[in-house]
Amino acid sequence: MRPIDFWTLMTCCLFWGGNFVVGAWALGNNPVPPFMLAAVRAAIVLVFMGVFLFKPLPEKFGLLLIVGLCVGAIHLGFLYTGLQTASASGTSILSQTMIPLATLMSVFFLKEKIGRIRTGAIVAAFIGVCIMVYEPGGLSLDINLVYIFIAYVSLALGSVLMRKVGNIDWRIYVSWMSLLLLLASGAASILFESGQVTTFKEDGVPLIIAAAYGAVFVSIFSHGQYFRLLQSYDVAVIVPLTIMTTVFATILGILLLDETLEPRYIIGAAIILPCVYVIARRQKSSKSAPKMMES
């Protein structure tokens, strides 16, 4: 990998990690409605990318819309809802389960085959997930981490289905995904949330900061560069390096949000991250490994 591409990917990981921290700060410390935040983020993206809505539509446009819902509205809806109380470090660790999830889904949707080592790594990764989402001392669920997990199930599904869409300009994809996100999140905010006008008046600063950060640094820059890199390098080269997202999010969460790493996060991470690395490395043997995205 060329040094400039390596450092570009590290910058993407830094921005992705920062998105967990910014989202946790905006939603956890301020009464910012999560669907409203997602809608504002999408609107900002469309200010920059809306012109690509008028480009010729891809052949499999219907499937593109399904992918856009999975990666955009459903993923971000659950992600922002979970970030209202879930820590940035715990969320970033749990986000790494997207790789084994997408690998498992590829067996059903893309007819890929996985060996015993991969299967064992997937099972172990899910054990790590269970450790993270259950509160110690009882059988009660940490519901917000469950929301985070659902968000990454949706993202994994969208990432696998993306393989069936065909080659499209990433800017067309980002623009349509953002339009779907704006419509779905806007409708959800109107139906299930209240006080939007008050939020703009009293908590407009954290709302705009989080939305602008997610729009510019994540939706446009990081997703765009990630797609470009996946066109130049094998998935097995790119995906393992995205583990650095968790490292950056954990460091930023401790430095900026004064977070404390829970023991279950450490135990879960110790199980999940090596499994993710094993699965990603073994994708090298498959020409149809799923291309994956971060939120």
Side-chain angles (χ1 to χ4, degrees), residues 19-34 37 80-88 199 202-207 209-210 252-259:
N19 192 48
F20 293 126
V21 175
V22 173
W25 164 74
L27 294 164
N29 300 322
N30 306 279
V32 174
L37 173 57
Y80 283 149
T81 300
L83 280 172
Q84 287 181 304
T85 59
S87 70
T199 298
E202 298 181 358
D203 299 286
V205 173
L207 171 67
I209 289 176
L252 292 172
I254 293 172
L255 293 177
L256 301 179
L257 300 181
D258 196 27
E259 291 185 349

Side-chain angles (χ1 to χ4, degrees), residues 27 34-35 76-86 144 147-148:
L27 294 164
F35 289 117
L76 289 178
F78 279 103
L79 178 64
Y80 283 149
T81 300
L83 280 172
Q84 287 181 304
T85 59
N144 287 286
Y147 290 151
I148 300 297

Side-chain angles (χ1 to χ4, degrees), residues 137-188:
L139 296 178
S140 60
L141 281 171
D142 184 342
I143 189 61
N144 287 286
L145 282 182
V146 174
Y147 290 151
I148 300 297
F149 180 67
I150 294 174
Y152 282 93
V153 171
S154 177
L155 182 59
L157 177 60
S159 300
V160 172
L161 293 179
M162 186 69 184
R163 296 279 297 172
K164 294 181 172 291
V165 173
N167 294 324
I168 63 171
D169 188 324
W170 68 267
R171 294 169 296 185
I172 294 177
Y173 169 75
V174 168
S175 62
W176 279 101
M177 180 184 69
S178 298
L179 178 60
L180 287 173
L181 177 61
L182 177 60
L183 295 176
S185 298

Side-chain angles (χ1 to χ4, degrees), residues 58-72 98 102 105-106 109-110 112 153-177 180 219 223-224 226-228 230-231 235 287-294:
E59 181 179 350
K60 298 181 179 180
F61 181 65
L63 183 58
L64 177 66
L65 295 181
I66 295 175
V67 172
L69 285 173
C70 290
V71 176
M98 186 188 71
M105 289 178 184
S106 70
F109 292 101
L110 303 178
E112 293 183 355
V153 171
S154 177
L155 182 59
L157 177 60
S159 300
V160 172
L161 293 179
M162 186 69 184
R163 296 279 297 172
K164 294 181 172 291
V165 173
N167 294 324
I168 63 171
D169 188 324
W170 68 267
R171 294 169 296 185
I172 294 177
Y173 169 75
V174 168
S175 62
W176 279 101
M177 180 184 69
L180 287 173
S219 292
H223 286 177
Y226 194 58
F227 268 65
R228 179 185 67 81
L230 282 173
Q231 293 174 352
V235 173
K287 294 182 179 179
S288 59
K291 296 181 179 180
M292 288 166 287
M293 298 170 52
E294 300 284 344

Side-chain angles (χ1 to χ4, degrees), residues 222-253:
S222 296
H223 286 177
Q225 292 304 306
Y226 194 58
F227 268 65
R228 179 185 67 81
L229 291 170
L230 282 173
Q231 293 174 352
S232 304
Y233 298 97
D234 291 343
V235 173
V237 174
I238 299 298
V239 171
L241 295 177
T242 64
I243 290 176
M244 287 301 298
T245 299
T246 296
V247 177
F248 288 130
T250 301
I251 294 173
L252 292 172

Side-chain angles (χ1 to χ4, degrees), residues 105-140:
M105 289 178 184
S106 70
V107 174
F108 298 98
F109 292 101
L110 303 178
K111 306 302 180 183
E112 293 183 355
K113 296 180 180 180
I114 57 176
R116 286 178 291 182
I117 295 178
R118 242 179 174 182
T119 301
I122 291 172
V123 172
F126 276 101
I127 292 174
V129 172
C130 291
I131 292 174
M132 290 192 66
V133 300
Y134 275 99
E135 292 279 11
L139 296 178
S140 60

